Amino acid sequence: MAQNFDLVVIGAGPGGYVAAIRAAQLGMRVAVVEKNKLGGVCLNVGCIPTKALLKSAEIAYTVRHAQEYGLRVEGPVQVDFQAVIARSRQVAERMSRGVQFLMKKNKIEVFSAAARLDGKGRVALLRDGKPFEELRAPHIVLATGARPRELPFMRIDHRKIWDSTDALSASQRPDSMLIVGAGAIGVEFAYFYHMMGTRVTLVEIMPTILPAEDEDIGRELGKSYQKYGIEILTESSVTAVDTSGPKVKATLRTPQGERTLEVDVVLSAVGVTGNIENLGLEELGVRVDKGAVVVDEWYRTNVEGIYAIGDVAGPPWLAHVASHEGILCVEKIAGLEVEPLDYDNIPGCTYCQPQVASVGLTEKAARERGYDIRVGKFPFQASGKAAAIGHTEGFVKVIFDARYGEWLGCHILGWDATELISEAVLARKAEGTIHEVMRAVHPHPTLAEAIMEAAAAAAGEAIHL
């Protein structure tokens, strides 16, 4: 017999499990279907374990520079690569157990299976591709996430051509690596593997690394990476790979001409595509476009009772976006008064060191939208706290509307930048202006003072510049 619920969520990543918990809080009887581990890509093979790896890389860098802090460490840093990977996996497992606890706490029924839409209000549970049970609900939320996108001439074989999951679970450290794509994933793994001792080449087709960020950010981070010893090839692309030999032979097109590079592995970091296959979308007539389920501002598809949140619904492919979409989706289903998500106020973070964090418009985008702007920049070289901790790389850049003082954008490159960006997110949400940022007393000495100082620079009232 079919089991009946108020809501069925397919996928238990940061969109799906958060939506399920909020629905349970609102009194719904909820089921979650997940064919892999609770927590999805983010918790198990994405956000959380990669941050654990990056912490190991950061510590390796700090120990190598211990003498700068008056400390002496005898001999070179010895990297136990397998132990680094093992710690990352332990962190992910602990967090996954936490999601299991939350499911029980909120009385959410979890089904470990694949799922397929099997008609209006029906979800078939599959084992080995065959249905064995049916769930019924008037509301079904698709939260199936996304997977790494592949280039047609560079198929991921998990041996010599890696995806991000291979990179964070490798049993051995490669001596050399080519990373294709310098978005957040490519840049983070470039930092990690370089600090572990791998010779890294980072290739990006755009003029700067992290091309979605403000151009100043990409240029300055590129300089930091080159100082580390990471080779960066911008305005370049990989045109062919040959995996037949003991190493991968990659052919690159660069501004200086064609180049051949031999490496142990190639990491493909060229984006993601939604997991829309084998869900029964075609049979129900659910509309998809460019690898994503099409939804409205409340995450409703064109088929009544079917919703989609998170990566499967398209960009921005961020865990915190998926979680907020899940909450808004089920609150709207429950009849609460909610407002649509403001996609212009979504923070983005990259967790290399120096870190990158941003929200709102870049300087270029603000000008293209026709704003008369005030731009302020405060370098961490002028920050007492940055000097004290020995990390003066980077800056805070703020962009305000010159007429009304509206905070249009904030872009940070620096140590622990990802912990600073929330101030800008909250101030923009509260419609804070340049004067309110300047007059808000920031504690001294802190890295966060740089935000206040940058705002003062935009107003022509900088004190410490």
Side-chain angles (χ1 to χ4, degrees):
M1 291 180 62
Q3 296 194 51
N4 294 306
F5 297 89
D6 299 311
L7 176 74
V8 173
V9 181
I10 302 175
Y17 85 75
V18 167
I21 291 171
R22 185 66 184 122
Q25 290 174 342
L26 292 169
M28 299 185 201
R29 187 181 180 215
V30 183
V32 166
V33 186
E34 173 55 61
K35 64 180 180 180
N36 295 311
K37 289 185 176 181
L38 292 175
V41 167
C42 174
L43 194 153
N44 294 287
V45 291
C47 318
I48 303 304
T50 56
K51 304 313 164 272
L53 295 179
L54 290 163
K55 184 62 180 180
S56 294
E58 178 187 323
I59 291 174
Y61 175 87
T62 300
V63 174
R64 288 181 184 125
H65 292 79
Q67 194 169 352
E68 298 173 12
Y69 298 87
L71 304 175
R72 182 174 297 167
V73 177
E74 297 298 334
V77 174
Q78 300 295 316
V79 174
D80 185 342
F81 189 76
Q82 292 181 345
V84 169
I85 297 296
R87 176 183 178 272
S88 171
R89 300 314 311 152
Q90 289 166 4
V91 170
E93 290 293 335
R94 184 165 69 247
M95 299 304 295
S96 184
R97 289 194 297 272
V99 177
Q100 292 175 24
F101 166 76
L102 291 172
M103 296 294 101
K104 292 179 181 178
K105 175 187 175 183
N106 289 281
K107 298 180 174 57
I108 296 166
E109 293 199 43
V110 178
F111 296 87
S112 182
R116 184 181 66 216
L117 301 174
D118 201 30
K120 183 176 175 59
R122 302 202 306 271
V123 175
L125 304 186
L126 311 176
R127 185 178 294 129
D128 298 324
K130 298 179 180 179
F132 68 92
E133 190 168 358
E134 182 177 273
L135 309 181
R136 293 184 180 178
H139 306 287
I140 300 168
V141 175
L142 305 175
T144 52
R147 64 185 182 280
R149 188 168 66 88
E150 289 184 286
L151 296 174
F153 61 87
M154 198 172 73
R155 294 297 181 185
I156 295 167
D157 62 13
H158 308 292
R159 295 182 305 105
K160 293 180 179 179
I161 311 295
W162 286 2
D163 63 14
S164 56
T165 301
D166 301 315
L168 66 81
S169 58
S171 58
Q172 291 185 324
R173 177 188 62 80
D175 289 330
S176 56
M177 172 184 285
L178 170 65
I179 300 178
V180 184
I185 292 173
V187 163
E188 288 183 356
F189 277 117
Y191 175 80
F192 169 71
Y193 273 97
H194 172 78
M195 293 302 169
M196 293 295 103
T198 298
R199 177 171 55 83
V200 176
T201 300
L202 183 59
V203 175
E204 171 56 50
I205 197 169
M206 300 298 286
T208 62
I209 63 174
L210 293 181
E213 299 288 347
D214 190 273
E215 291 176 355
D216 287 350
I217 295 284
R219 278 195 294 267
E220 290 303 312
L221 181 62
K223 292 177 183 177
S224 292
Y225 270 32
Q226 287 169 336
K227 288 179 182 178
Y228 289 150
I230 298 170
E231 182 180 23
I232 295 177
L233 301 175
T234 53
E235 297 183 280
S236 302
S237 60
V238 177
T239 58
V241 293
D242 180 0
T243 60
S244 60
K247 289 182 176 289
V248 184
K249 185 180 291 186
T251 304
L252 284 65
R253 183 185 295 121
T254 77
Q256 291 74 39
E258 189 172 275
R259 175 180 169 185
T260 299
L261 186 67
E262 288 194 354
V263 293
D264 291 325
V265 296
V266 174
L267 170 58
S268 179
V270 293
V272 299
T273 186
N275 293 320
I276 60 174
E277 298 82 8
N278 305 314
L279 289 174
L281 302 180
E282 298 87 352
E283 291 81 355
L284 277 180
V286 176
R287 203 154 67 94
V288 299
D289 182 49
K290 298 178 182 177
V293 178
V294 178
V295 296
D296 67 9
E297 62 183 353
W298 306 118
Y299 313 104
R300 298 175 294 205
T301 71
N302 61 306
V303 176
E304 184 182 2
I306 307 295
Y307 311 79
I309 60 171
D311 290 359
V312 75
W317 298 288
L318 299 167
H320 44 284
V321 171
S323 296
H324 279 268
E325 288 178 347
I327 291 170
L328 289 178
C329 178
V330 297
E331 287 183 344
K332 186 67 175 179
I333 290 171
L336 273 62
E337 289 291 331
V338 293
E339 62 180 40
L341 193 59
D342 179 6
Y343 288 93
D344 281 339
N345 200 34
I346 301 295
C349 297
T350 305
Y351 296 82
C352 53
Q353 290 290 9
Q355 293 181 355
V356 174
S358 63
V359 66
L361 300 178
T362 64
E363 180 179 353
K364 180 180 179 182
R367 295 189 189 281
E368 288 175 347
R369 292 197 187 186
Y371 284 103
D372 180 16
I373 61 175
R374 291 181 176 183
V375 178
K377 186 185 282 189
F378 187 81
F380 282 112
Q381 275 191 331
S383 162
K385 179 62 180 293
I389 66 174
H391 294 293
T392 57
E393 315 95 317
F395 54 85
V396 174
K397 179 178 181 178
V398 292
I399 302 156
F400 291 92
D401 169 43
R403 185 175 183 184
Y404 298 110
E406 178 189 358
W407 199 349
L408 301 176
C410 181
H411 309 274
I412 308 174
L413 172 67
W415 214 259
D416 286 337
T418 60
E419 300 296 335
L420 303 178
I421 196 63
S422 293
E423 175 178 341
V425 177
L426 181 58
R428 281 168 44 80
K429 178 68 174 175
E431 299 183 351
T433 68
I434 186 171
H435 299 290
E436 289 164 323
V437 178
M438 290 166 56
R439 304 304 178 219
V441 179
H442 289 61
H444 175 77
T446 61
L447 296 177
E449 284 178 294
I451 298 174
M452 174 187 68
E453 295 278 9
E461 299 179 20
I463 299 296
H464 293 99
L465 279 180

